[in-house]
Amino acid sequence: MAATTDAHSRPHPNSKEAQAAFQEVGQGKDDVFGEEGGHEIRYKTLSWQLVSALMIAEIVSNGMLTLPNAMAAVGIVPSLVLTVFLGIFALYTAKLLIDFKINHPDVHNMGDAGFILFGPVGREVLSAGTIIFAIFGTGSELLAGQQALSTLSNNGLCATVLLVIFSIATFLVSLPRTLQNLSWLGLFSAVMITICGILVMVGAGANPVPDRVVAATVPTSFVQAFLAITGPVFAYAGLFFILISEMRRPQDAMKAAVVLQGFSTTFYSVFGVVVYVYIGSTVASPATFSLPPVWAKTTFAIGMVNFLIAGALYSHTAAKLIYIRLFRHTRHVHSHTVGGWFTWTFLCFVATAIAFILASAVPIFSDLTGVTASLFAAWYTYGIAGMFWIHDTFYLTGGAEALKRRWLGTTLATFTILGGAFICVAGTYVSIKLIADAYREGLVGKPFTC
């Protein structure tokens, strides 16, 4: 008799069990939150429109303000080509991630997906990577908020004090248990970062730099060229699974991805070109520092709203992964229990507190963010999506024969995996080299300084 399971105790791709599973996917069986009717706390409430707003708020954030500086490193043409290409590539990988989620309704985060692909070790590695990436994302937003407050106050308070203030606000905003309760803030945040970007472009146009240097292409080293693409690459590393899990109709997630990638790619391209053309090769990172004081304060004041909400979303995401891991399928998920709320509040506090400590106590925090983005975000946005396609094609549609029959998809998935591997290795190398150079040149500051 033919075997009905594989080495991982999963249905063999040609078995009746696998075919039955394929018919059941996407219909709510074993959904991470199950049936929510009558529960006090319901998660599956998001529309695709609100999910797109949340993703724009989280992704088109302070990273946008670094793009003109990146464009100055390589020139307009290479920067635009890479931004558009990576935007299209990210849309393709988003489709693969969403299909995997539809096929496996019980997947809540990358850790769950890692368990399906690689077993218990995969769950722990990808869960840890998601948490680390989210905490570093929170830290980046905290530093952006601190810069905004310092600019608005004319450096009237110690930078560490301002970081504490912004961290407390971020913690409080992260506390709602469901993304539905954050979604309207996310929409407001997306609007504010868009207005911020528009005002930066207007400010640059109203105050062009005399004798500025603008180039279509700029000869540069591999390190500088790679740094120029890390903005658009790592900005696309959205935490899709957690967001999709709280949608009313996960089948609509692709609409949100199209809105996200269409908006972000277009806005990145226009913003980068306009600011670079008016400021030139001396454009600062973030670009607001290249504007006159009044313009810098105005744009920072508006952008600060996004920094706050985006930081809270990252912190919320880290806490949500651990919380669902601890209490999945228990009453603490859907009920207002003392233990549930205490644990949730504690997790949000710890996520924000760790981000604060890293941002204030580690002088090379920005470069370490590049390391974490290279190690995890490059895979989450690109490489691992190819593994999802190969896994489901093999186990749900006919094994090795299905991979051969769908050769184009198999080829694209393989190149996706290789692309993720390249970005991971190259990005880690570049980030570590920057850290070593900073220490060698004495550019590393001291922790908790004003």
Side-chain angles (χ1 to χ4, degrees), residues 14-50:
N14 294 321
S15 69
K16 293 181 179 180
E17 290 89 344
Q19 298 305 317
F22 181 67
Q23 295 299 322
E24 291 169 351
V25 295
Q27 298 178 18
K29 184 176 180 180
D30 297 324
D31 183 275
V32 61
F33 294 116
E35 292 296 328
E36 294 191 308
H39 286 300
E40 295 176 303
I41 302 175
R42 288 183 289 179
Y43 295 85
K44 295 185 294 184
T45 56
L46 290 176
S47 65
W48 68 265
Q49 292 93 339
L50 289 177

PDB file of all heavy atoms in Angstrom, residues 14-50:
ATOM      1  N   ASN A  14       0.046  13.110  -3.263  1.00  0.00           N
ATOM      2  CA  ASN A  14      -0.880  12.398  -4.142  1.00  0.00           C
ATOM      3  C   ASN A  14      -1.977  11.648  -3.387  1.00  0.00           C
ATOM      4  O   ASN A  14      -2.776  10.943  -3.993  1.00  0.00           O
ATOM      5  CB  ASN A  14      -0.103  11.398  -5.016  1.00  0.00           C
ATOM      6  CG  ASN A  14       0.819  12.109  -5.993  1.00  0.00           C
ATOM      7  OD1 ASN A  14       0.448  13.134  -6.537  1.00  0.00           O
ATOM      8  ND2 ASN A  14       2.014  11.582  -6.185  1.00  0.00           N
ATOM      9  N   SER A  15      -1.998  11.808  -2.048  1.00  0.00           N
ATOM     10  CA  SER A  15      -2.965  11.055  -1.253  1.00  0.00           C
ATOM     11  C   SER A  15      -4.324  11.726  -1.254  1.00  0.00           C
ATOM     12  O   SER A  15      -4.465  12.916  -1.568  1.00  0.00           O
ATOM     13  CB  SER A  15      -2.465  10.918   0.189  1.00  0.00           C
ATOM     14  OG  SER A  15      -2.495  12.175   0.825  1.00  0.00           O
ATOM     15  N   LYS A  16      -5.348  10.964  -0.871  1.00  0.00           N
ATOM     16  CA  LYS A  16      -6.692  11.520  -0.763  1.00  0.00           C
ATOM     17  C   LYS A  16      -6.751  12.584   0.324  1.00  0.00           C
ATOM     18  O   LYS A  16      -7.481  13.559   0.216  1.00  0.00           O
ATOM     19  CB  LYS A  16      -7.695  10.410  -0.458  1.00  0.00           C
ATOM     20  CG  LYS A  16      -7.875   9.409  -1.595  1.00  0.00           C
ATOM     21  CD  LYS A  16      -8.899   8.354  -1.227  1.00  0.00           C
ATOM     22  CE  LYS A  16      -9.087   7.362  -2.379  1.00  0.00           C
ATOM     23  NZ  LYS A  16     -10.085   6.317  -2.018  1.00  0.00           N
ATOM     24  N   GLU A  17      -5.956  12.386   1.389  1.00  0.00           N
ATOM     25  CA  GLU A  17      -5.956  13.368   2.488  1.00  0.00           C
ATOM     26  C   GLU A  17      -5.480  14.734   2.000  1.00  0.00           C
ATOM     27  O   GLU A  17      -6.038  15.776   2.356  1.00  0.00           O
ATOM     28  CB  GLU A  17      -5.060  12.876   3.638  1.00  0.00           C
ATOM     29  CG  GLU A  17      -5.616  11.680   4.386  1.00  0.00           C
ATOM     30  CD  GLU A  17      -5.176  10.365   3.742  1.00  0.00           C
ATOM     31  OE1 GLU A  17      -4.719  10.397   2.567  1.00  0.00           O
ATOM     32  OE2 GLU A  17      -5.315   9.317   4.395  1.00  0.00           O
ATOM     33  N   ALA A  18      -4.426  14.717   1.166  1.00  0.00           N
ATOM     34  CA  ALA A  18      -3.908  15.985   0.653  1.00  0.00           C
ATOM     35  C   ALA A  18      -4.915  16.655  -0.259  1.00  0.00           C
ATOM     36  O   ALA A  18      -5.111  17.876  -0.204  1.00  0.00           O
ATOM     37  CB  ALA A  18      -2.596  15.756  -0.094  1.00  0.00           C
ATOM     38  N   GLN A  19      -5.563  15.870  -1.107  1.00  0.00           N
ATOM     39  CA  GLN A  19      -6.549  16.452  -2.008  1.00  0.00           C
ATOM     40  C   GLN A  19      -7.732  17.019  -1.228  1.00  0.00           C
ATOM     41  O   GLN A  19      -8.268  18.073  -1.567  1.00  0.00           O
ATOM     42  CB  GLN A  19      -7.030  15.388  -3.011  1.00  0.00           C
ATOM     43  CG  GLN A  19      -5.915  14.846  -3.914  1.00  0.00           C
ATOM     44  CD  GLN A  19      -5.191  15.949  -4.665  1.00  0.00           C
ATOM     45  OE1 GLN A  19      -5.816  16.864  -5.173  1.00  0.00           O
ATOM     46  NE2 GLN A  19      -3.868  15.860  -4.722  1.00  0.00           N
ATOM     47  N   ALA A  20      -8.129  16.316  -0.154  1.00  0.00           N
ATOM     48  CA  ALA A  20      -9.217  16.831   0.686  1.00  0.00           C
ATOM     49  C   ALA A  20      -8.815  18.117   1.376  1.00  0.00           C
ATOM     50  O   ALA A  20      -9.589  19.071   1.472  1.00  0.00           O
ATOM     51  CB  ALA A  20      -9.611  15.774   1.724  1.00  0.00           C
ATOM     52  N   ALA A  21      -7.559  18.151   1.839  1.00  0.00           N
ATOM     53  CA  ALA A  21      -7.072  19.375   2.490  1.00  0.00           C
ATOM     54  C   ALA A  21      -7.077  20.538   1.522  1.00  0.00           C
ATOM     55  O   ALA A  21      -7.408  21.670   1.872  1.00  0.00           O
ATOM     56  CB  ALA A  21      -5.658  19.142   3.033  1.00  0.00           C
ATOM     57  N   PHE A  22      -6.693  20.252   0.277  1.00  0.00           N
ATOM     58  CA  PHE A  22      -6.662  21.313  -0.725  1.00  0.00           C
ATOM     59  C   PHE A  22      -8.059  21.870  -0.973  1.00  0.00           C
ATOM     60  O   PHE A  22      -8.237  23.073  -1.188  1.00  0.00           O
ATOM     61  CB  PHE A  22      -6.087  20.762  -2.024  1.00  0.00           C
ATOM     62  CG  PHE A  22      -5.993  21.795  -3.111  1.00  0.00           C
ATOM     63  CD1 PHE A  22      -5.112  22.849  -2.995  1.00  0.00           C
ATOM     64  CD2 PHE A  22      -6.787  21.727  -4.243  1.00  0.00           C
ATOM     65  CE1 PHE A  22      -5.025  23.802  -3.986  1.00  0.00           C
ATOM     66  CE2 PHE A  22      -6.699  22.674  -5.230  1.00  0.00           C
ATOM     67  CZ  PHE A  22      -5.808  23.710  -5.104  1.00  0.00           C
ATOM     68  N   GLN A  23      -9.088  21.025  -0.915  1.00  0.00           N
ATOM     69  CA  GLN A  23     -10.454  21.493  -1.125  1.00  0.00           C
ATOM     70  C   GLN A  23     -10.943  22.334   0.043  1.00  0.00           C
ATOM     71  O   GLN A  23     -11.823  23.177  -0.101  1.00  0.00           O
ATOM     72  CB  GLN A  23     -11.395  20.284  -1.318  1.00  0.00           C
ATOM     73  CG  GLN A  23     -11.103  19.473  -2.574  1.00  0.00           C
ATOM     74  CD  GLN A  23     -11.266  20.294  -3.833  1.00  0.00           C
ATOM     75  OE1 GLN A  23     -12.157  21.126  -3.927  1.00  0.00           O
ATOM     76  NE2 GLN A  23     -10.384  20.067  -4.798  1.00  0.00           N
ATOM     77  N   GLU A  24     -10.349  22.101   1.239  1.00  0.00           N
ATOM     78  CA  GLU A  24     -10.833  22.782   2.439  1.00  0.00           C
ATOM     79  C   GLU A  24     -10.142  24.106   2.700  1.00  0.00           C
ATOM     80  O   GLU A  24     -10.616  24.921   3.471  1.00  0.00           O
ATOM     81  CB  GLU A  24     -10.627  21.881   3.659  1.00  0.00           C
ATOM     82  CG  GLU A  24     -11.540  20.661   3.651  1.00  0.00           C
ATOM     83  CD  GLU A  24     -11.131  19.650   4.721  1.00  0.00           C
ATOM     84  OE1 GLU A  24     -10.052  19.833   5.318  1.00  0.00           O
ATOM     85  OE2 GLU A  24     -11.877  18.708   4.950  1.00  0.00           O
ATOM     86  N   VAL A  25      -8.981  24.336   2.108  1.00  0.00           N
ATOM     87  CA  VAL A  25      -8.220  25.529   2.442  1.00  0.00           C
ATOM     88  C   VAL A  25      -8.998  26.773   2.071  1.00  0.00           C
ATOM     89  O   VAL A  25      -9.770  26.795   1.123  1.00  0.00           O
ATOM     90  CB  VAL A  25      -6.846  25.536   1.711  1.00  0.00           C
ATOM     91  CG1 VAL A  25      -5.986  24.404   2.201  1.00  0.00           C
ATOM     92  CG2 VAL A  25      -7.027  25.479   0.203  1.00  0.00           C
ATOM     93  N   GLY A  26      -8.757  27.837   2.854  1.00  0.00           N
ATOM     94  CA  GLY A  26      -9.379  29.119   2.575  1.00  0.00           C
ATOM     95  C   GLY A  26     -10.826  29.200   2.999  1.00  0.00           C
ATOM     96  O   GLY A  26     -11.492  30.192   2.765  1.00  0.00           O
ATOM     97  N   GLN A  27     -11.354  28.173   3.676  1.00  0.00           N
ATOM     98  CA  GLN A  27     -12.757  28.196   4.068  1.00  0.00           C
ATOM     99  C   GLN A  27     -12.925  28.306   5.575  1.00  0.00           C
ATOM    100  O   GLN A  27     -13.990  28.012   6.119  1.00  0.00           O
ATOM    101  CB  GLN A  27     -13.447  26.917   3.551  1.00  0.00           C
ATOM    102  CG  GLN A  27     -13.411  26.818   2.030  1.00  0.00           C
ATOM    103  CD  GLN A  27     -14.037  25.535   1.530  1.00  0.00           C
ATOM    104  OE1 GLN A  27     -14.778  24.877   2.248  1.00  0.00           O
ATOM    105  NE2 GLN A  27     -13.747  25.188   0.291  1.00  0.00           N
ATOM    106  N   GLY A  28     -11.864  28.706   6.288  1.00  0.00           N
ATOM    107  CA  GLY A  28     -11.974  28.987   7.700  1.00  0.00           C
ATOM    108  C   GLY A  28     -11.667  27.816   8.608  1.00  0.00           C
ATOM    109  O   GLY A  28     -11.677  27.956   9.819  1.00  0.00           O
ATOM    110  N   LYS A  29     -11.412  26.611   8.077  1.00  0.00           N
ATOM    111  CA  LYS A  29     -11.097  25.476   8.922  1.00  0.00           C
ATOM    112  C   LYS A  29      -9.787  25.723   9.644  1.00  0.00           C
ATOM    113  O   LYS A  29      -8.788  26.102   9.050  1.00  0.00           O
ATOM    114  CB  LYS A  29     -10.999  24.192   8.096  1.00  0.00           C
ATOM    115  CG  LYS A  29     -10.771  22.958   8.965  1.00  0.00           C
ATOM    116  CD  LYS A  29     -10.764  21.683   8.149  1.00  0.00           C
ATOM    117  CE  LYS A  29     -10.545  20.489   9.069  1.00  0.00           C
ATOM    118  NZ  LYS A  29     -10.534  19.222   8.335  1.00  0.00           N
ATOM    119  N   ASP A  30      -9.801  25.503  10.961  1.00  0.00           N
ATOM    120  CA  ASP A  30      -8.619  25.707  11.791  1.00  0.00           C
ATOM    121  C   ASP A  30      -8.113  27.149  11.739  1.00  0.00           C
ATOM    122  O   ASP A  30      -6.925  27.398  11.940  1.00  0.00           O
ATOM    123  CB  ASP A  30      -7.501  24.748  11.380  1.00  0.00           C
ATOM    124  CG  ASP A  30      -7.879  23.284  11.582  1.00  0.00           C
ATOM    125  OD1 ASP A  30      -8.583  22.975  12.552  1.00  0.00           O
ATOM    126  OD2 ASP A  30      -7.487  22.476  10.736  1.00  0.00           O
ATOM    127  N   ASP A  31      -8.990  28.084  11.456  1.00  0.00           N
ATOM    128  CA  ASP A  31      -8.606  29.497  11.467  1.00  0.00           C
ATOM    129  C   ASP A  31      -8.035  29.852  12.833  1.00  0.00           C
ATOM    130  O   ASP A  31      -8.503  29.377  13.868  1.00  0.00           O
ATOM    131  CB  ASP A  31      -9.830  30.366  11.172  1.00  0.00           C
ATOM    132  CG  ASP A  31      -9.467  31.832  11.107  1.00  0.00           C
ATOM    133  OD1 ASP A  31      -9.427  32.491  12.167  1.00  0.00           O
ATOM    134  OD2 ASP A  31      -9.216  32.312  10.005  1.00  0.00           O
ATOM    135  N   VAL A  32      -7.016  30.696  12.820  1.00  0.00           N
ATOM    136  CA  VAL A  32      -6.306  31.005  14.065  1.00  0.00           C
ATOM    137  C   VAL A  32      -7.231  31.562  15.143  1.00  0.00           C
ATOM    138  O   VAL A  32      -7.050  31.289  16.333  1.00  0.00           O
ATOM    139  CB  VAL A  32      -5.136  31.983  13.779  1.00  0.00           C
ATOM    140  CG1 VAL A  32      -5.642  33.294  13.202  1.00  0.00           C
ATOM    141  CG2 VAL A  32      -4.340  32.236  15.030  1.00  0.00           C
ATOM    142  N   PHE A  33      -8.265  32.311  14.752  1.00  0.00           N
ATOM    143  CA  PHE A  33      -9.189  32.879  15.731  1.00  0.00           C
ATOM    144  C   PHE A  33     -10.519  32.138  15.797  1.00  0.00           C
ATOM    145  O   PHE A  33     -11.356  32.458  16.645  1.00  0.00           O
ATOM    146  CB  PHE A  33      -9.441  34.361  15.427  1.00  0.00           C
ATOM    147  CG  PHE A  33      -8.223  35.219  15.608  1.00  0.00           C
ATOM    148  CD1 PHE A  33      -7.651  35.881  14.534  1.00  0.00           C
ATOM    149  CD2 PHE A  33      -7.618  35.352  16.853  1.00  0.00           C
ATOM    150  CE1 PHE A  33      -6.521  36.667  14.690  1.00  0.00           C
ATOM    151  CE2 PHE A  33      -6.483  36.130  17.021  1.00  0.00           C
ATOM    152  CZ  PHE A  33      -5.933  36.787  15.940  1.00  0.00           C
ATOM    153  N   GLY A  34     -10.716  31.160  14.914  1.00  0.00           N
ATOM    154  CA  GLY A  34     -11.932  30.357  14.953  1.00  0.00           C
ATOM    155  C   GLY A  34     -13.192  31.177  14.726  1.00  0.00           C
ATOM    156  O   GLY A  34     -13.164  32.275  14.170  1.00  0.00           O
ATOM    157  N   GLU A  35     -14.310  30.618  15.165  1.00  0.00           N
ATOM    158  CA  GLU A  35     -15.591  31.324  15.086  1.00  0.00           C
ATOM    159  C   GLU A  35     -15.671  32.344  16.212  1.00  0.00           C
ATOM    160  O   GLU A  35     -15.493  32.005  17.382  1.00  0.00           O
ATOM    161  CB  GLU A  35     -16.749  30.333  15.180  1.00  0.00           C
ATOM    162  CG  GLU A  35     -16.866  29.405  13.985  1.00  0.00           C
ATOM    163  CD  GLU A  35     -17.177  30.164  12.714  1.00  0.00           C
ATOM    164  OE1 GLU A  35     -17.870  31.206  12.801  1.00  0.00           O
ATOM    165  OE2 GLU A  35     -16.720  29.743  11.638  1.00  0.00           O
ATOM    166  N   GLU A  36     -15.971  33.595  15.874  1.00  0.00           N
ATOM    167  CA  GLU A  36     -15.917  34.666  16.872  1.00  0.00           C
ATOM    168  C   GLU A  36     -17.282  35.197  17.279  1.00  0.00           C
ATOM    169  O   GLU A  36     -17.367  36.151  18.055  1.00  0.00           O
ATOM    170  CB  GLU A  36     -15.067  35.834  16.347  1.00  0.00           C
ATOM    171  CG  GLU A  36     -13.605  35.476  16.181  1.00  0.00           C
ATOM    172  CD  GLU A  36     -12.746  36.696  15.929  1.00  0.00           C
ATOM    173  OE1 GLU A  36     -13.072  37.470  15.021  1.00  0.00           O
ATOM    174  OE2 GLU A  36     -11.770  36.883  16.660  1.00  0.00           O
ATOM    175  N   GLY A  37     -18.336  34.612  16.768  1.00  0.00           N
ATOM    176  CA  GLY A  37     -19.667  35.096  17.118  1.00  0.00           C
ATOM    177  C   GLY A  37     -19.919  35.019  18.614  1.00  0.00           C
ATOM    178  O   GLY A  37     -19.714  33.980  19.238  1.00  0.00           O
ATOM    179  N   GLY A  38     -20.371  36.123  19.207  1.00  0.00           N
ATOM    180  CA  GLY A  38     -20.697  36.154  20.626  1.00  0.00           C
ATOM    181  C   GLY A  38     -19.517  36.432  21.541  1.00  0.00           C
ATOM    182  O   GLY A  38     -19.699  36.587  22.759  1.00  0.00           O
ATOM    183  N   HIS A  39     -18.300  36.509  21.011  1.00  0.00           N
ATOM    184  CA  HIS A  39     -17.132  36.778  21.858  1.00  0.00           C
ATOM    185  C   HIS A  39     -17.057  38.264  22.227  1.00  0.00           C
ATOM    186  O   HIS A  39     -17.519  39.132  21.488  1.00  0.00           O
ATOM    187  CB  HIS A  39     -15.845  36.367  21.153  1.00  0.00           C
ATOM    188  CG  HIS A  39     -15.621  34.890  21.096  1.00  0.00           C
ATOM    189  ND1 HIS A  39     -15.508  34.097  22.214  1.00  0.00           N
ATOM    190  CD2 HIS A  39     -15.490  34.049  20.035  1.00  0.00           C
ATOM    191  CE1 HIS A  39     -15.313  32.845  21.860  1.00  0.00           C
ATOM    192  NE2 HIS A  39     -15.309  32.782  20.536  1.00  0.00           N
ATOM    193  N   GLU A  40     -16.443  38.533  23.361  1.00  0.00           N
ATOM    194  CA  GLU A  40     -16.272  39.925  23.801  1.00  0.00           C
ATOM    195  C   GLU A  40     -15.262  40.663  22.923  1.00  0.00           C
ATOM    196  O   GLU A  40     -15.424  41.848  22.632  1.00  0.00           O
ATOM    197  CB  GLU A  40     -15.804  39.955  25.262  1.00  0.00           C
ATOM    198  CG  GLU A  40     -16.808  39.420  26.259  1.00  0.00           C
ATOM    199  CD  GLU A  40     -16.242  39.397  27.663  1.00  0.00           C
ATOM    200  OE1 GLU A  40     -15.191  38.767  27.882  1.00  0.00           O
ATOM    201  OE2 GLU A  40     -16.854  40.015  28.545  1.00  0.00           O
ATOM    202  N   ILE A  41     -14.192  39.978  22.559  1.00  0.00           N
ATOM    203  CA  ILE A  41     -13.142  40.576  21.723  1.00  0.00           C
ATOM    204  C   ILE A  41     -13.097  39.814  20.403  1.00  0.00           C
ATOM    205  O   ILE A  41     -12.858  38.609  20.383  1.00  0.00           O
ATOM    206  CB  ILE A  41     -11.772  40.504  22.415  1.00  0.00           C
ATOM    207  CG1 ILE A  41     -11.814  41.204  23.774  1.00  0.00           C
ATOM    208  CG2 ILE A  41     -10.694  41.128  21.529  1.00  0.00           C
ATOM    209  CD1 ILE A  41     -10.530  41.063  24.578  1.00  0.00           C
ATOM    210  N   ARG A  42     -13.345  40.526  19.323  1.00  0.00           N
ATOM    211  CA  ARG A  42     -13.336  39.903  18.002  1.00  0.00           C
ATOM    212  C   ARG A  42     -12.239  40.536  17.155  1.00  0.00           C
ATOM    213  O   ARG A  42     -12.107  41.755  17.099  1.00  0.00           O
ATOM    214  CB  ARG A  42     -14.699  40.055  17.327  1.00  0.00           C
ATOM    215  CG  ARG A  42     -15.774  39.179  17.965  1.00  0.00           C
ATOM    216  CD  ARG A  42     -17.089  39.295  17.247  1.00  0.00           C
ATOM    217  NE  ARG A  42     -17.722  40.596  17.481  1.00  0.00           N
ATOM    218  CZ  ARG A  42     -18.882  40.969  16.952  1.00  0.00           C
ATOM    219  NH1 ARG A  42     -19.539  40.141  16.144  1.00  0.00           N
ATOM    220  NH2 ARG A  42     -19.388  42.152  17.219  1.00  0.00           N
ATOM    221  N   TYR A  43     -11.479  39.682  16.496  1.00  0.00           N
ATOM    222  CA  TYR A  43     -10.304  40.128  15.746  1.00  0.00           C
ATOM    223  C   TYR A  43     -10.576  40.268  14.258  1.00  0.00           C
ATOM    224  O   TYR A  43     -10.055  41.183  13.615  1.00  0.00           O
ATOM    225  CB  TYR A  43      -9.144  39.143  15.971  1.00  0.00           C
ATOM    226  CG  TYR A  43      -8.660  39.107  17.399  1.00  0.00           C
ATOM    227  CD1 TYR A  43      -9.280  38.304  18.346  1.00  0.00           C
ATOM    228  CD2 TYR A  43      -7.586  39.890  17.817  1.00  0.00           C
ATOM    229  CE1 TYR A  43      -8.840  38.267  19.660  1.00  0.00           C
ATOM    230  CE2 TYR A  43      -7.139  39.873  19.127  1.00  0.00           C
ATOM    231  CZ  TYR A  43      -7.776  39.054  20.050  1.00  0.00           C
ATOM    232  OH  TYR A  43      -7.357  39.034  21.353  1.00  0.00           O
ATOM    233  N   LYS A  44     -11.336  39.367  13.698  1.00  0.00           N
ATOM    234  CA  LYS A  44     -11.503  39.318  12.231  1.00  0.00           C
ATOM    235  C   LYS A  44     -12.535  40.355  11.787  1.00  0.00           C
ATOM    236  O   LYS A  44     -13.658  40.034  11.409  1.00  0.00           O
ATOM    237  CB  LYS A  44     -11.905  37.917  11.803  1.00  0.00           C
ATOM    238  CG  LYS A  44     -10.831  36.873  12.079  1.00  0.00           C
ATOM    239  CD  LYS A  44     -11.198  35.508  11.535  1.00  0.00           C
ATOM    240  CE  LYS A  44     -12.386  34.905  12.243  1.00  0.00           C
ATOM    241  NZ  LYS A  44     -12.677  33.537  11.778  1.00  0.00           N
ATOM    242  N   THR A  45     -12.115  41.616  11.839  1.00  0.00           N
ATOM    243  CA  THR A  45     -13.028  42.726  11.570  1.00  0.00           C
ATOM    244  C   THR A  45     -12.513  43.696  10.519  1.00  0.00           C
ATOM    245  O   THR A  45     -13.229  44.614  10.117  1.00  0.00           O
ATOM    246  CB  THR A  45     -13.303  43.505  12.868  1.00  0.00           C
ATOM    247  OG1 THR A  45     -12.046  43.929  13.420  1.00  0.00           O
ATOM    248  CG2 THR A  45     -14.035  42.644  13.888  1.00  0.00           C
ATOM    249  N   LEU A  46     -11.266  43.532  10.068  1.00  0.00           N
ATOM    250  CA  LEU A  46     -10.660  44.521   9.176  1.00  0.00           C
ATOM    251  C   LEU A  46     -11.132  44.350   7.732  1.00  0.00           C
ATOM    252  O   LEU A  46     -11.244  43.232   7.231  1.00  0.00           O
ATOM    253  CB  LEU A  46      -9.140  44.403   9.210  1.00  0.00           C
ATOM    254  CG  LEU A  46      -8.422  44.833  10.491  1.00  0.00           C
ATOM    255  CD1 LEU A  46      -6.939  44.545  10.366  1.00  0.00           C
ATOM    256  CD2 LEU A  46      -8.652  46.303  10.782  1.00  0.00           C
ATOM    257  N   SER A  47     -11.371  45.452   7.062  1.00  0.00           N
ATOM    258  CA  SER A  47     -11.616  45.452   5.622  1.00  0.00           C
ATOM    259  C   SER A  47     -10.273  45.576   4.915  1.00  0.00           C
ATOM    260  O   SER A  47      -9.266  45.977   5.514  1.00  0.00           O
ATOM    261  CB  SER A  47     -12.510  46.623   5.235  1.00  0.00           C
ATOM    262  OG  SER A  47     -11.838  47.858   5.482  1.00  0.00           O
ATOM    263  N   TRP A  48     -10.246  45.270   3.635  1.00  0.00           N
ATOM    264  CA  TRP A  48      -8.988  45.386   2.903  1.00  0.00           C
ATOM    265  C   TRP A  48      -8.550  46.842   2.787  1.00  0.00           C
ATOM    266  O   TRP A  48      -7.344  47.130   2.738  1.00  0.00           O
ATOM    267  CB  TRP A  48      -9.081  44.728   1.530  1.00  0.00           C
ATOM    268  CG  TRP A  48      -9.990  45.409   0.525  1.00  0.00           C
ATOM    269  CD1 TRP A  48     -11.284  45.117   0.255  1.00  0.00           C
ATOM    270  CD2 TRP A  48      -9.633  46.499  -0.344  1.00  0.00           C
ATOM    271  NE1 TRP A  48     -11.771  45.947  -0.728  1.00  0.00           N
ATOM    272  CE2 TRP A  48     -10.779  46.801  -1.119  1.00  0.00           C
ATOM    273  CE3 TRP A  48      -8.462  47.228  -0.552  1.00  0.00           C
ATOM    274  CZ2 TRP A  48     -10.786  47.819  -2.075  1.00  0.00           C
ATOM    275  CZ3 TRP A  48      -8.467  48.242  -1.497  1.00  0.00           C
ATOM    276  CH2 TRP A  48      -9.616  48.523  -2.250  1.00  0.00           C
ATOM    277  N   GLN A  49      -9.520  47.771   2.794  1.00  0.00           N
ATOM    278  CA  GLN A  49      -9.156  49.186   2.723  1.00  0.00           C
ATOM    279  C   GLN A  49      -8.372  49.616   3.974  1.00  0.00           C
ATOM    280  O   GLN A  49      -7.367  50.334   3.879  1.00  0.00           O
ATOM    281  CB  GLN A  49     -10.404  50.048   2.569  1.00  0.00           C
ATOM    282  CG  GLN A  49     -11.113  49.883   1.232  1.00  0.00           C
ATOM    283  CD  GLN A  49     -12.206  48.830   1.271  1.00  0.00           C
ATOM    284  OE1 GLN A  49     -12.214  47.957   2.137  1.00  0.00           O
ATOM    285  NE2 GLN A  49     -13.148  48.919   0.335  1.00  0.00           N
ATOM    286  N   LEU A  50      -8.846  49.166   5.139  1.00  0.00           N
ATOM    287  CA  LEU A  50      -8.159  49.534   6.378  1.00  0.00           C
ATOM    288  C   LEU A  50      -6.821  48.822   6.507  1.00  0.00           C
ATOM    289  O   LEU A  50      -5.867  49.379   7.061  1.00  0.00           O
ATOM    290  CB  LEU A  50      -9.052  49.232   7.579  1.00  0.00           C
ATOM    291  CG  LEU A  50     -10.267  50.147   7.754  1.00  0.00           C
ATOM    292  CD1 LEU A  50     -11.117  49.711   8.936  1.00  0.00           C
ATOM    293  CD2 LEU A  50      -9.830  51.609   7.929  1.00  0.00           C
TER     294      LEU A  50
END
